[in-house]
C-alpha cells in the first residue's frame, strides 16, 4: 500500500516549507524514520524522516520549490510502483492546505514571509489584485504596516499575495522597490555585476536569502551604535583550569561562553532596557531572559534560543549551549527553539577576530559580539604583564538605548567577568 509523504507543519505559525535537498532518490529503499529529505522554513532547517519503510516511488516536488504544509511531496510504496516522471503536480493531503489562488505565503508572527512560486502561466502583473477588506484596509502584520508608514506607502494600493489578500513583507518591499524614483546620476548608479571569464554562478541558498532579508530589515529598522570594552579574562581562565575535570565528569565542556552567558543574564536583570523590544510607540520590557547563541553552519548562520537562561548556572548553560549548537549543526532543532529570543550573543572570536560589529537580531535591541580570547601584554601596576584578554562589543539600538545606558551595562559585565570569583578582586 502506498504511503503519501507530506510537507510537515514545523510550528503553529508556519504555513509552508522549501525542499532544499532530497536525501533519497526515486527507486531507492528507505527505512521508517530514516532521513528522506531536507526542508527550510522561516525559522529552522530540518531533515524530515520517512513515515514508512519501502521504496521511494515518486517525487512530486523538486529541490528549491516551496509548498504548503500537508501538501504531498512524495510517495513511499513498492518497487513496481516507481514512476518515470519524478516531479509531478503537487496536491494537498486530505484535510491539508490548498495551493490555489495567487501565490500562497508563510507569514510569521514577526512579519517575515517567503512567497511561493507564481501560478503557472501567470506573471505578478497578470494576477488580479485581491480586493481589500470592507473598510478599505488590507490585512497585514504590524511589521508590514510599519514599513509602509516609514516609506509613506498607502497599504491599500499594495496587492497582497497572502491568504485572503493579506499583504506580506515581500509584497510591501517589492512595491517599494518598483515604485518610480528620480533618475540617478551616473555617479550615483550602482554597478551591476556581470559574470566574467571563468566565474562560477550559483543561486543563493534558501538560508542565505533569509539571512539577507533579516539583516537588511534590521539595518533599516534599528539605529545601530557600538561600544567596545577590553576585558581581563584571567580569573575566568584560572577557574576553567580548576573546574575543567569536574565539569567533564558531569558531561559538560567548560567554555568561556558559559561564563559570559551567565554574567550577561545577571546583568540583563539589572539593566532591563537591554532586554526589551520596541513595538511602534511602546516599549516591551521582557520578563523572561531567552538567550540566543549564534551558531555558524557550513552555509550560513542560525541562532537557537536558550529559554529562561537566567534559571541556569554555569554548568547548566554549558550543557544547554553545547546541546543547541550540536543539534543546530545536525539540523535537529525544533521551530520553537529558534524564536522568542530577547538577547543574542555571537562569537566571531572563535575564528580569530579581535572583535566584530554584529547586526541586531530583530526585534531585540542589543547584541553582544565576543572577540578572540588570548594572552596579551597589558599594563599592570605601572608594569607590563601578560593577561588573558578579549574585546567585547555591544551593538545596540539607539532609538531606545542611550550610550550611557549601554556603557553602564558593559561596565557591569566587565566588572563581573574580571571578578567572577570575589576572592580575586
Amino acid at each position: 500500500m502506498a504511503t503519501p509523504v507530506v510537507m510537515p507543519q514545523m510550528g503553529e505559525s508556519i504555513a509552508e516549507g522549501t525542499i532544499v535537498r532530497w536525501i533519497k532518490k526515486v527507486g531507492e529503499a528507505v527505512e521508517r524514520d530514516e532521513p528522506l529529505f531536507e526542508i527550510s522554513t522561516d525559522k529552522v532547517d530540518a531533515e524530515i524522516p520517512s513515515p514508512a519503510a519501502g521504496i521511494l516511488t515518486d517525487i512530486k516536488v523538486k529541490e528549491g520549490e516551496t509548498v504548503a504544509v500537508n501538501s504531498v511531496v512524495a510517495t513511499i510504496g513498492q518497487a513496481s510502483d516507481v514512476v518515470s516522471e519524478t516531479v509531478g503536480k503537487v496536491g494537498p493531503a486530505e484535510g491539508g492546505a490548498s495551493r490555489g489562488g495567487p501565490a500562497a505565503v508563510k507569514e510569521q508572527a514577526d512579519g517575515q514571509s517567503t512567497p511561493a512560486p507564481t501560478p503557472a502561466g501567470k506573471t505578478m502583473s497578470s494576477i488580479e489584485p485581491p480586493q481589500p477588506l470592507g473598510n478599505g484596509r488590507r490585512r497585514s502584520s504590524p511589521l508590514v504596516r510599519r514599513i509602509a508608514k516609514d516609506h509613506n506607502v498607502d497599504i491599500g494600493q499594495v496587492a497582497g499575495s497572502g491568504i485572503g489578500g493579506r499583504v506580506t513583507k515581500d509584497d510591501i518591499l517589492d512595491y517599494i522597490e518598483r515604485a518610480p524614483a528620480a533618475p540617478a546620476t551616473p555617479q550615483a548608479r550602482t554597478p551591476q555585476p556581470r559574470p566574467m571569464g571563468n566565474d562560477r554562478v550559483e543561486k543563493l541558498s534558501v538560508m542565505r536569502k533569509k539571512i539577507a532579508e533579516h539583516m537588511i530589515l534590521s539595518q533599516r529598522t534599528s539605529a545601530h551604535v557600538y561600544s567596545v570594552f577590553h576585558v581581563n579574562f584571567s580569573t575566568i581562565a584560572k577557574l576553567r583550569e580548576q573546574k575543567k575535570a569536574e565539569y567533564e565528569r558531569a558531561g559538560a565542556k567548560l567554555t568561556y561562553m558559559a561564563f559570559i552567558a551567565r554574567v550577561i543574564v545577571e546583568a540583563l536583570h539589572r539593566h532591563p532596557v537591554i532586554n526589551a523590544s520596541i513595538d511602534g510607540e511602546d516599549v516591551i520590557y521582557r520578563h523572561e531572559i531567552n538567550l540566543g547563541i549564534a551558531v555558524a553552519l557550513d552555509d550560513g548562520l542560525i541562532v537557537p534560543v536558550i529559554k529562561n537562561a537566567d534559571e541556569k548556572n554555569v554548568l547548566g548553560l554549558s550543557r544547554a549551549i553545547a546541546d543547541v549548537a550540536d543539534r543546530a549543526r545536525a539540523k535537529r532543532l525544533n521551530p520553537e527553539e529558534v524564536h522568542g529570543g530577547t538577547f543574542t550573543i555571537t562569537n566571531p572570536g572563535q575564528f580569530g577576530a579581535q572583535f566584530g560589529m554584529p547586526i541586531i537580531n530583530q526585534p531585540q535591541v542589543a547584541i553582544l559580539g565576543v572577540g578572540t580570547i588570548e594572552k596579551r601584554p597589558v599594563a599592570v601596576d605601572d608594569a607590563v604583564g601578560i593577561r588573558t584578554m578579549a574585546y567585547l562589543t555591544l551593538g545596540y539600538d539607539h532609538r531606545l538605548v542611550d550610550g550611557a545606558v549601554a556603557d553602564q551595562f558593559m561596565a557591569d559585565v566587565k566588572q563581573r567577568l574580571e571578578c567572577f570569583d570575589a576572592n580575586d578582586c
Side-chain angles (χ1 to χ4, degrees):
M1 181 177 177
T3 301
V5 180
V6 302
M7 176 63 69
Q9 177 94 39
M10 297 295 287
E12 291 183 3
S13 61
I14 295 179
E16 63 187 22
T18 300
I19 292 186
V20 178
R21 178 171 65 99
W22 281 100
I23 299 172
K24 293 290 185 176
K25 297 178 181 179
V26 170
E28 290 186 344
V30 59
E31 297 296 327
R32 181 182 176 87
D33 294 329
E34 183 180 3
L36 182 60
F37 61 101
E38 182 182 330
I39 69 169
S40 179
T41 72
D42 264 0
K43 295 298 182 184
V44 69
D45 288 0
E47 291 181 351
I48 305 304
S50 174
I55 302 295
L56 180 58
T57 61
D58 185 20
I59 291 178
K60 298 180 180 295
V61 181
K62 61 185 178 182
E63 294 178 355
E65 286 192 355
T66 301
V67 296
V69 299
N70 295 323
S71 293
V72 176
V73 299
T75 305
I76 302 293
Q78 304 301 317
S80 59
D81 300 327
V82 174
V83 298
S84 58
E85 180 61 44
T86 60
V87 179
K89 183 179 179 181
V90 179
E94 185 176 349
S98 171
R99 295 293 286 173
V105 300
K106 58 177 176 291
E107 177 104 15
Q108 306 300 321
D110 58 7
Q112 295 190 56
S113 59
T114 300
T118 302
K122 294 187 178 182
T123 64
M124 288 303 294
S125 60
S126 68
I127 297 174
E128 183 178 352
Q131 295 300 313
L133 301 177
N135 57 7
R137 296 177 57 195
R138 291 194 187 279
R139 294 186 179 92
S140 60
S141 69
L143 174 64
V144 169
R145 293 194 291 273
R146 184 165 71 243
I147 294 174
K149 181 180 178 181
D150 290 344
H151 290 82
N152 296 316
V153 171
D154 178 2
I155 204 166
Q157 302 300 314
V158 181
S161 64
I163 299 172
R166 186 179 182 87
V167 178
T168 70
K169 177 173 67 69
D170 283 339
D171 293 334
I172 187 68
L173 293 178
D174 183 65
Y175 181 89
I176 293 168
E177 182 179 349
R178 294 172 182 270
T185 62
Q187 294 81 3
R189 289 175 183 159
T190 302
Q192 294 297 312
R194 294 288 184 269
M196 297 182 296
N198 295 322
D199 292 350
R200 185 176 75 254
V201 179
E202 296 179 355
K203 291 289 186 183
L204 283 173
S205 66
V206 174
M207 174 177 283
R208 199 73 260 163
K209 289 179 183 177
K210 291 171 184 173
I211 291 173
E213 289 178 2
H214 197 54
M215 295 299 96
I216 291 172
L217 176 63
S218 184
Q219 290 282 29
R220 288 175 176 170
T221 301
S222 297
H224 283 69
V225 182
Y226 297 91
S227 291
V228 181
F229 277 60
H230 204 196
V231 179
N232 187 342
F233 277 83
S234 298
T235 295
I236 302 295
K238 292 178 183 177
L239 287 172
R240 285 187 68 224
E241 286 300 317
Q242 294 170 4
K243 297 181 177 293
K244 184 164 55 176
E246 175 186 339
Y247 273 61
E248 288 177 353
R249 287 194 296 270
K253 183 178 180 181
L254 187 55
T255 65
Y256 286 108
M257 183 59 71
F259 286 99
I260 295 170
R262 182 59 206 170
V263 168
I264 286 294
V265 297
E266 291 175 356
L268 289 173
H269 273 301
R270 295 188 289 270
H271 306 269
V273 71
I274 307 296
N275 196 52
S277 293
I278 297 177
D279 181 19
E281 296 182 355
D282 297 328
V283 179
I284 302 173
Y285 292 92
R286 305 292 185 183
H287 175 71
E288 295 180 347
I289 295 179
N290 299 331
L291 195 62
I293 303 293
V295 178
L297 307 178
D298 291 339
D299 56 349
L301 185 78
I302 195 168
V303 185
V305 177
I306 300 172
K307 303 292 178 66
N308 300 307
D310 53 324
E311 298 177 0
K312 300 181 185 296
N313 57 18
V314 174
L315 175 59
L317 287 168
S318 295
R319 288 172 170 166
I321 292 170
D323 173 57
V324 295
D326 289 344
R327 288 191 293 114
R329 296 186 183 101
K331 300 182 179 179
R332 293 288 190 271
L333 289 173
N334 298 318
E336 295 76 15
E337 294 178 291
V338 290
H339 68 83
T342 61
F343 185 91
T344 296
I345 301 176
T346 183
N347 184 19
Q350 64 183 309
F351 304 110
Q354 292 296 303
F355 54 85
M357 299 293 179
I359 297 174
I360 296 168
N361 190 13
Q362 297 296 323
Q364 300 166 27
V365 296
I367 183 170
L368 185 79
V370 179
T372 188
I373 301 173
E374 61 185 4
K375 290 185 177 181
R376 298 175 190 150
V378 293
V380 180
D381 297 328
D382 295 329
V384 175
I386 303 298
R387 297 292 185 269
T388 302
M389 307 291 295
Y391 291 104
L392 300 185
T393 302
L394 183 72
Y396 55 95
D397 189 342
H398 209 347
R399 295 179 303 162
L400 179 63
V401 183
D402 289 331
V405 175
D407 290 344
Q408 289 165 8
F409 172 80
M410 288 299 291
D412 190 359
V413 170
K414 173 182 170 71
Q415 191 276 336
R416 184 76 176 92
L417 285 169
E418 294 182 342
C419 301
F420 197 89
D421 185 345
N423 294 328
D424 289 341
C425 294

